[in-house]
Structures are given as structure tokens and as C-alpha cells.
Amino acid sequence: MSKTDHILLVEDDAALRELLEEELEAEGYRVTACGDAEQGRHWLQTQPPDLLISDLRLPGKDGLSLLPALKAQEMPPAVLIITAFGSVQQAVKALQAGADDFLTKPLEMDHFLLTVSRLLENRRLRREVQQYRNMLAIEQFHGIIGQSPAMQQLFHQIRQVATADAPVLVQGESGTGKELVARALHDQSQRSAGPYMVVNCGGIPGELMESEFFGHAAGAFTGAKSRRAGLFQQANGGTLLLDEMGEMPLPLQAKLLRVLQDGKVRPVGSDHEIQLDVRIIAATNRNLTEAVADGSFREDLFYRLETFALQIPPLRERGDDIQRLAAFFLTRFNARQQRHIKGFSDEASALLQHYAFPGNVRELQNAVERAATFCDGALIDVEHLPQRIREQGDAGPEPVAGEGRASDHAEALPSLETVQRRHIHRVLAATEGNKRRAAEILGITRRTLYRWLE
């Protein structure tokens, strides 16, 4: 049983309905209770539960009338039917209609609660399987998620460039996924069966770079007791990604240019060159045009790399990809942590959509995992998001100098209804869905709380 499990109870007997509601809430479940099938259908549509508990005989339509609509849902709730008129025929009819179990009145409370726990656990397992399937079903291009026009254009360019064998320059802001693009280029190319090596040019001390890249002969320098193959030799027949290319020292840039021109490397301390077949992919978040202008990057190397250049769009220019990626990261978090968070509130989704994400996809992933960790309810809400994202929403648009008016500031303020809704959800989250406790904190009756939620 999870603290976030939501149960819809449909029972026309008011005394029994209140008793079952109290017992379920005492177990930590969130309970919505009503007295007929029409109200039950309304709650199934507006707040889909994890478990539907319904009396078979109700005023008007019976409890089985609620089941057909559940079949259309991707992850329908578990269903428990209860009735005072138990028979084998009725049990078979309920199970054939889609119910998961069937209990007769009078209910033995321990047995009832055990059945509820078992049904919810079975549904949790089904949800986890579905989450894994959903992750596999999300359309990806070599592990990259993106349906926006900007990303579709990038995928088209990768397919085209991958067929060539010349060096490629991959540019983009930090966190946009340059390594994923480089890997896609390799996997899409005819070299996909060959080795794929990655080196961070900014993470190797300058004095060791040449040896790391080109290898060294035995005795080439103090400590070089044996011959060592460099990264270029290890990547022979495949692809070598030079990450953070803009951090490479100028002397090594000159040697790299020579490798690109004739395909040969000379290990440190060796008199012989080695002919290699390696495709170079260079990735950087620096503006190499500016680096050429200030003398920190060789112009001839830049033009050699720039023939096939790919620019990865920042996340803020990818439209609805933000929501797709957020949903993907949440699904993966749920699967790894065995959580059941269903999604994001409208307010939280709006904040994510309009945030600039200077850290791009990596920042979004961290924000979703952080929010999911602090979320105790069914939905990630505004208060679960990192402060920098919340502050963006609180600040509102900046007024133009000399044009600030009271009406401008008023338009940025939330409505009373919005403030009330947010506060109710915060109280419900703090009480772990216990509506009786939430109503006490809010100073209202439970009936009023149900009406506000409706």
C-alpha cells in the first residue's frame, strides 16, 4: 500500500459508507466517497482512482454500470464489488464485467482491508510493467527524445552526415546532449560495428594530452616503462569523440590537424608513424568563431572541422519536448524508485514550459528527479520544483521602464480560486491525503472539502 493510493467508494448505505471511509483513511488511503453510480461516474472521469469499491445494488444504475468506461483507460483502477445479495452467478457476472474481486455483506473488516491491499499491490505491479513499456514506446532516435521541428531537423542532418566519413563538429550549450548526438552519428554510420571512444579534452593535464591521444614508446619519458597505445590507436576502425574540443592547447591542435589531413599518428618517443582509420567528432559548448578571433583556436583546424557542423538547439527552443522529456524522466524515476506519481499539476507544467532552462536537458532531468523525490501526492506541484523555477513564476514579467502600472502588476497576480486550490492541495499533501485531518486544518467540514475538490 502506498500513501498516494486513491480509492473511490460508491455505497448508498450512508452508515456503511462512513464506516468504510474511516477504516480506509485510518490505513492511510485517500478516499473519495459517494452514494450512487452517477456520482461515481463523475469522480471516475475527474479524479481517476487507483481502486474502485462499489456496491452492486445502487439507486438507479447498478455498480456494474461503472465498469465499461474503465476499459478505455490506459491504466484502469482495480475494482472490488460488494453486495448484500451474494451468489455465484453474481460473482461470475461481476468478474466477467471487469471486476477484480467480489465480497459479500456483512463485511469482515480485516478481510476487506486485506483484499484492498492485495488489489492495490497487483495494480502497482501492472503499472510498473506499463511504465517500462511506455519508456520503450516513447519515440526516440538513438536514445534522443524529440518531436519538435528543431529536433526533427537535427535527426535528418545526423542521418545525412553519418554517411560521410569526414570529421564532424557538434556544437551546443552545456546539457543539450552533445555526447548523445555523437553516439548517434557513430551508430548511424558504417563504423557502428567498430570501437567508439570518448575523451574529455578539458579533463586531461596539458603535459599528458599528447601521450593520451597518440600513445608513447617504451622509455619515451620518466615512468614510460612499456609501449602504450593512444586513444587514436584504440579507436582505429571506429570513432573518436573529442569532447570539450575548445579546451585543447594550441600545440596539440596543430598535431591533430596533421592527423586529420594524412591519417597518421606518431607516438611520443617513436621514430615511426602509424597509419590509422579513425573518424573524429569534436564537441564543444564554446563559440569557436570567437575562439579563432581571439587566437585560442587554430583557424585552419576550425575550417577543417566546420565542413560538417551540427548545432543542437537549446531546450528553451524545443517547445513541447519539455513536457515529453519531463514525462519520460518521471516515468523512469517511478520505475527505479517504485513510486506511483501520475504526472504534473497544470501550474507545475506551465512553470516548466516557460522556464528558460540554462542547463538544458540535464537541468530538466535533475529538476524532475528532485521534484519527484519531494512529492508525497499523486501529482508534482509547484512547491516540489526547485526554487529557481518557482521564483520565475513568482516574479512575473518585468515591466518596461516608465510604463509600470498597477494594472500590469495586478494581471500577474493569481486569482483567489487559484490560491485556494493550491492551498487545499498543499494541506492534502501535508496530511498524506487524509481528508478528515485536512478539513480540520482548513476549518471546514469534510462535505465542504469534497465540494471544493469537485
Side-chain angles (χ1 to χ4, degrees), residues 313-428:
L315 184 57
R316 60 184 173 275
E317 296 178 3
R318 293 175 54 181
D320 290 342
D321 280 351
I322 294 175
Q323 304 298 333
R324 295 185 184 96
L325 286 163
F328 174 79
F329 293 138
L330 178 58
T331 299
R332 189 167 64 180
F333 177 89
N334 278 333
R336 288 177 176 174
Q337 302 298 323
Q338 297 187 354
R339 297 285 300 278
H340 310 98
I341 303 172
K342 297 179 180 179
F344 301 82
S345 70
D346 292 342
E347 293 86 354
S349 293
L351 280 183
L352 290 176
Q353 188 65 44
H354 294 98
Y355 180 63
F357 283 104
N360 292 289
V361 179
R362 187 182 299 121
E363 183 183 6
L364 173 61
Q365 177 180 349
N366 293 338
V368 171
E369 291 183 356
R370 188 263 188 200
T373 300
F374 285 98
C375 177
D376 295 321
L379 295 176
I380 290 177
D381 210 344
V382 172
E383 64 264 25
H384 304 130
L385 297 175
Q387 184 176 358
R388 62 184 178 279
I389 298 179
R390 298 198 309 269
E391 288 177 345
Q392 166 209 241
D394 294 338
E398 290 291 332
V400 178
E403 295 185 4
R405 297 175 301 172
S407 60
D408 295 331
H409 297 288
E411 290 175 359
L413 296 174
S415 67
L416 180 60
E417 180 183 356
T418 299
V419 172
Q420 175 178 290
R421 183 172 64 253
R422 289 179 179 174
H423 184 58
I424 290 173
H425 284 295
R426 288 192 182 98
V427 173
L428 284 171

Side-chain angles (χ1 to χ4, degrees), residues 9 98 116 286 309 314 392-393 423:
L9 173 63
V116 167
R286 289 187 62 189
Q392 166 209 241
H423 184 58

